[in-house]
Structures are given as C-alpha cells and as structure tokens.
Amino acid sequence: MSPSPKNTPENTMEILKTIHKIMQDKKCEEIAVLNLESVHSYLSFFLICTVNSAVQANAVAREIKKALKSFKLPHKETDKTGTSASSGWTLLDYGEFIVHIMTPEKREYYNLDRLWRDAERIELS
C-alpha cells in the first residue's frame, strides 16, 4: 500500500484542531499533539489523550470518526489494529494522523509521550 498524499498545511491544521476540539469537548485529559515529521520517516502526527472509561473512549472515537468523514482521509478500522476501548487503548489510524485514546493505566504503561519525546509538541489551545 502506498502512503496517502500529504494534506495541505492549512488542511492539516484544520484536521488537528478538529480532533483537538473534540477531545476537549468530550472532557479528555492530558491532550498531546506531536509532530513526528522530523523524527520519523512516514509518521506525521500523533494525537494522544487520556479518558476515564470505555464509554468515554467510545464517545470520543465516534465523534472523531464522524467529524473526519468530510476530510475523506484513509482510515483503517480500529478492529483491524487489535485495539479497542475495552482494552484501554483505542487507536484511530488515518495514515498521516494517528489518534490514541488511552486510559490512565495504558497511557502510563506505554508512555508514548516519553517514547516520542524528540517530536515537536504542537499547542492548539
């Protein structure tokens, strides 16, 4: 499978802001937006947030999927990645954008923020 074409910078920022706003509206905690372009050859952005329950994780994932349909991004279904809200880690793969919705326990255990500490943090607030 060939990589998807890159979005325009304006479109990329609109997508990041859309996901970030949904995370804020759904009361996610510890929201992080990481730009991985300078530290990884084919990953562009990680959006990571902490949720307190599977119900909250499902609500966040559902809203993000609904909102991003209009951008026509390639999307790999969560079930195919082997992650789900019941596992404590929901992953939404949109090629250039990878969304991680995690419980506090999974976030602490996998510590993606530390793993990708060389990535630039983007402030969207």
Side-chain angles (χ1 to χ4, degrees):
M1 175 187 261
S2 62
S4 61
K6 296 280 185 177
N7 289 297
T8 64
E10 296 81 18
N11 197 28
T12 294
M13 284 309 293
E14 185 179 352
I15 293 166
L16 292 174
K17 287 178 180 178
T18 298
I19 297 169
H20 189 264
K21 179 158 179 20
I22 291 167
M23 290 176 170
Q24 287 180 317
D25 291 349
K26 294 293 180 186
K27 309 292 188 229
C28 296
E29 299 171 358
E30 302 178 66
I31 300 169
V33 181
L34 306 178
N35 181 345
L36 302 171
E37 293 175 313
S38 65
V39 295
H40 201 281
S41 62
Y42 67 89
L43 292 175
S44 296
F45 298 96
F46 270 10
L47 295 101
I48 309 167
C49 69
T50 302
V51 294
N52 293 309
S53 68
V55 172
Q56 185 184 15
N58 285 331
V60 174
R62 184 175 48 251
E63 286 300 312
I64 290 172
K65 287 178 185 179
K66 187 165 54 169
L68 295 188
K69 279 186 180 180
S70 65
F71 292 101
K72 296 181 174 44
L73 297 171
H75 177 244
K76 294 181 185 173
E77 284 300 320
T78 307
D79 294 345
K80 293 179 184 169
T81 64
T83 60
S84 68
S86 62
S87 75
W89 184 354
T90 301
L91 183 133
L92 303 175
D93 183 348
Y94 287 95
E96 195 174 340
F97 307 92
I98 309 291
V99 179
H100 301 272
I101 305 167
M102 307 172 89
T103 61
E105 298 79 22
K106 294 294 182 187
R107 181 111 183 228
E108 183 179 341
Y109 182 80
Y110 289 102
N111 205 348
L112 297 178
D113 301 272
R114 183 185 56 75
L115 181 65
W116 295 102
R117 66 182 168 266
D118 293 340
E120 173 193 2
R121 287 186 164 270
I122 300 173
E123 296 299 325
L124 296 174
S125 298

